[in-house]
């Protein structure tokens, strides 16, 4: 779930062209946008406690060895794993409010989990590592906003700043939702047109919408999961103006809610290592499609 969604969102209409494009992609899916769980691998070691982190550090850089040349050579992508596995040990710090341009919100939240206790923060790190590997294989320079190298956070304003300072060509924040049982599917959150205080998304609304639509289309096709049946009106796209990570971004950025951890059927997918690989592949394909134009 988004790390700064402590108040109800203000919804805005999605562009009809994006919805039509997603619907067309959905119709090409062999299984009709239906996902099936892989029951051979669950949360397992992913749900184990994380190691004690070191002091706060800068964004995790790509490996020192030269990246392979490929279609994304010369491009920079920032991956933002939602939450931090140790946030629950630092509630005082993450409850401190920070400026999001249009107001103030909590630094971060703990995120959600499955009923069996598999944390969203573990899920997001796992998928982010897989996504990094896929993008690096295509030649992209990839940064993570954190990689268990700090005791909590980073705060939502710093997450946005990391992408901005990297002059990223695309930023993707990886999440999973925590909604009611029966609410299923993924959705991609797009930045609304926001201008006030330190927030101004006017230059990234269009490019972020394109990034989000392409990720949504490839996510359907690769994972077999359907767009959310409870957010986005079946498009898999949702526009919000209350998320600091989007409001403060000056580069194209979206959030991807990969599924609902509180629904047993979605949880079976999210705790499957093979499905998480598909989720990473869908996002990588969407990012690459966007960057290639």
């Amino acid at each position: 779930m988004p790390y700064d969604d402590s108040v109800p969102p203000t919804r805005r209409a999605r562009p009809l062209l994006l919805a039509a494009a997603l619907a067309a992609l959905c119709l090409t899916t062999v299984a009709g946008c239906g996902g099936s769980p892989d029951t051979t691998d669950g949360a397992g070691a992913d749900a184990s406690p994380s190691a004690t982190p070191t002091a706060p550090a800068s964004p995790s850089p790509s490996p020192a060895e030269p990246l392979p040349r490929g279609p994304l050579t010369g491009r920079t992508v920032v991956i933002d794993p939602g939450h931090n596995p140790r946030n629950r040990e630092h509630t005082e710090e993450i409850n401190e409010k920070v400026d999001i341009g249009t107001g103030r919100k909590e630094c971060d939240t703990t995120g959600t989990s499955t009923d069996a206790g598999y944390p969203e923060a573990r899920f997001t790190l796992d998928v982010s590592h897989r996504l990094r590997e896929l993008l690096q294989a295509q030649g992209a320079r990839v940064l993570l906003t954190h990689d268990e190298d700090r005791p909590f956070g980073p705060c939502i304003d710093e997450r946005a700043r990391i992408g901005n300072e990297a002059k990223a060509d695309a930023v993707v924040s990886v999440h999973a939702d925590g909604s009611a049982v029966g609410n299923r599917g993924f959705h991609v959150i797009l930045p609304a047109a926001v201008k006030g205080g330190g927030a101004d998304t006017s230059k990234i609304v269009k490019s972020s919408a394109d990034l989000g639509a392409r990720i949504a289309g490839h996510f359907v096709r690769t994972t077999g999961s359907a767009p959310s049946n409870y957010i986005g009106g079946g498009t898999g796209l949702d526009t919000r103006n209350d998320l600091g990570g989007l409001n403060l971004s000056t580069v194209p950025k979206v959030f991807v809610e990969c599924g609902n951890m509180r629904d047993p059927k979605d949880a079976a997918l999210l705790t499957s290592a093979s499905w998480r690989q598909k989720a990473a592949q869908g996002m990588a394909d969407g990012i690459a499609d966007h960057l290639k134009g």
Side-chain angles (χ1 to χ4, degrees):
M1 63 194 302
Y3 40 72
D4 52 348
D5 61 353
S6 59
V7 298
T10 300
R11 310 291 182 190
R12 301 216 177 177
R14 270 71 56 193
L16 294 177
L17 289 176
L18 295 182
L22 177 63
L25 282 166
C26 185
L27 290 173
T28 65
T29 308
V30 175
C33 299
S36 58
D38 178 354
T39 58
T40 61
D41 48 343
D46 288 326
S48 62
S50 61
T52 301
T54 60
S58 57
S60 305
S62 302
E65 61 269 16
L67 292 171
R69 295 194 62 80
L72 300 185
T73 296
R75 299 291 195 145
T76 297
V77 178
V78 171
I79 304 171
D80 179 26
H83 314 285
N84 181 321
R86 302 302 294 273
N87 273 357
R88 66 189 62 252
E89 300 172 10
H90 297 273
T91 55
E92 182 177 352
E93 290 91 341
I94 67 171
N95 284 333
E96 288 286 332
K97 292 190 176 181
V98 298
D99 186 3
I100 66 166
T102 55
R104 296 182 68 81
K105 295 188 75 170
E106 288 75 11
C107 157
D108 204 352
T109 65
T110 60
T112 188
S113 66
T114 66
D115 288 342
Y118 179 45
E120 179 188 359
R122 281 276 156 221
F123 169 83
T124 64
L125 273 172
D126 179 85
V127 173
S128 294
H129 290 159
R130 296 170 187 270
L131 178 56
R132 176 175 60 186
E133 183 175 348
L134 291 167
L135 292 171
Q136 287 178 335
Q138 297 187 66
R141 171 179 176 254
V142 182
L143 302 176
L144 266 60
T145 60
H146 74 97
D147 196 5
E148 290 196 273
D149 50 6
R150 53 194 302 159
F152 66 91
C155 294
I156 55 180
D157 57 338
E158 184 181 353
R159 289 173 187 265
R161 190 162 56 248
I162 290 168
N164 297 344
E165 291 179 351
K167 295 181 172 54
D169 296 290
V171 182
V172 174
S173 191
V174 181
H175 287 267
D177 210 0
S179 188
V181 174
N183 289 344
R184 295 198 62 196
F186 76 93
H187 63 279
V188 182
I189 304 176
L190 315 175
V194 172
K195 189 169 185 178
D200 184 358
T201 61
S202 58
K203 295 181 180 179
I204 66 162
V205 167
K206 184 176 180 180
S207 55
S208 296
D210 180 78
L211 172 64
R214 290 175 190 265
I215 289 176
H218 283 281
F219 202 91
V220 166
R221 190 157 49 198
T222 304
T223 66
S225 289
S228 170
N229 64 5
Y230 63 101
I231 290 177
T235 66
L237 303 174
D238 182 41
T239 302
R240 290 177 61 168
N241 66 2
D242 66 315
L243 299 178
L246 296 180
N247 288 359
L248 296 174
S249 184
T250 59
V251 294
K253 183 174 182 179
V254 299
F255 283 33
V256 182
E257 297 279 4
C258 297
N260 177 17
M261 295 197 111
R262 308 304 292 183
D263 178 83
K265 292 180 179 179
D266 267 12
L269 300 174
L270 297 167
T271 54
S272 162
S274 59
W275 188 90
R276 293 196 298 272
Q277 184 65 30
K278 293 177 183 178
Q281 186 69 63
M283 282 185 264
D285 291 345
I287 293 167
D289 198 16
H290 168 75
L291 295 180
K292 293 172 189 174

